[in-house]
Amino acid sequence: QKEVEQNSGPLSVPEGAIASLNCTYSDRGSQSFFWYRQYSGKSPELIMSIYSNGDKEDGRFTAQLNKASQYVSLLIRDSQPSDSATYLCAVSPGGKLIFGQGTELSVKP
Amino acid sequence: DVKVTQSSRYLVKRTGEKVFLECVQDMDHENMFWYRQDPGLGLRLIYFSYDVKMKEKGDIPEGYSVSREKKERFSLILESASTNQTSMYLCASSESGLRRETQYFGPGTRLLVL
């Protein structure tokens, strides 16, 4: 079992819809969780971090964490074509980050 | 803004060559990291460093070494490049303490080994 798993996609949603990206992790001791966005040919950029169970909202982005289920998700409301990118989930059991393989999102106009 | 720079965006080398990839950050971060990124495999940690002259192996250190002589600079060395080291190499840095897991990435170096 991979330490951090994401659906590889591609996930395709129409403009204005909600995009839902999911991530599961295996280490129950993980304390910190991150979502990075990576445009094609570019480096990852941090868009959300979450440390406690529940939801964390930042503009159109909402991160959700459920430690009991070892599950973290990212919701993008009112998806825009500019949101088309690969989204990387990263988990930290302490110190270093462990990344999932990424989910490619395509938002169609 | 945090700025992490890498010496080259694209690099082409021959099998057996010694390759140096340089990374510099300007935010006085204690922690620096080297990853490689391959399709379907995500980012994999090669080496990291929590302080000058200090290094720790990541998940895939074989065939690589690192050097950190100054706080702002972290170098990745491919001792004898091989074709399976063709990849995108990403450097990252982070503060120490509570925000140590928030990593900032450089633009990446796409290395082709022929």
Side-chain angles (χ1 to χ4, degrees), chain B residues 12-68:
Chain B
V12 180
K13 295 292 182 182
R14 297 279 179 192
T15 301
E17 279 193 76
K18 192 168 186 176
V19 181
F20 294 86
L21 303 181
E22 304 285 338
C23 175
V24 177
Q25 50 91 8
D26 66 358
M27 286 304 293
D28 201 36
H29 282 175
E30 286 77 11
N31 308 320
M32 297 188 75
F33 307 83
W34 273 107
Y35 295 88
R36 64 177 284 177
Q37 186 175 29
D38 301 287
L41 296 177
L43 275 80
R44 293 180 291 167
L45 182 63
I46 304 171
Y47 267 97
F48 59 104
S49 170
Y50 288 146
D51 202 352
V52 176
K53 296 193 185 293
M54 178 270 179
K55 60 185 178 184
E56 294 266 356
K57 291 181 180 179
D59 300 317
I60 51 164
E62 296 79 18
Y64 303 94
S65 62
V66 290
S67 172
R68 194 168 181 198

Side-chain angles (χ1 to χ4, degrees), chain A residues 58-79:
Chain A
D58 184 1
R60 295 187 295 112
F61 298 94
T62 299
Q64 300 175 316
L65 175 61
N66 183 326
K67 289 185 180 180
S69 301
Q70 297 174 243
Y71 177 93
V72 58
S73 64
L74 180 70
L75 300 178
I76 306 174
R77 291 183 301 280
D78 188 24
S79 295

Side-chain angles (χ1 to χ4, degrees), chain B residues 3 15 27 42 68 76 79 83 92 99 106 113:
Chain B
K3 191 162 186 183
T15 301
M27 286 304 293
R68 194 168 181 198
L76 180 69
E79 298 291 342
T83 54
R99 294 183 63 80
V113 182

Side-chain angles (χ1 to χ4, degrees), chain B residues 47-110:
Chain B
Y47 267 97
F48 59 104
S49 170
Y50 288 146
D51 202 352
V52 176
K53 296 193 185 293
M54 178 270 179
K55 60 185 178 184
E56 294 266 356
K57 291 181 180 179
D59 300 317
I60 51 164
E62 296 79 18
Y64 303 94
S65 62
V66 290
S67 172
R68 194 168 181 198
E69 296 296 318
K70 294 184 178 181
K71 189 176 185 180
E72 68 271 18
R73 187 180 298 268
F74 192 34
S75 302
L76 180 69
I77 303 155
L78 285 66
E79 298 291 342
S80 176
S82 63
T83 54
N84 63 12
Q85 292 179 309
T86 291
S87 187
M88 168 71 93
Y89 289 88
L90 290 158
C91 175
S93 72
S94 70
E95 299 176 76
S96 60
L98 292 176
R99 294 183 63 80
R100 68 184 184 278
E101 293 148 345
T102 302
Q103 295 185 15
Y104 299 90
F105 284 85
T109 296
R110 192 169 292 279

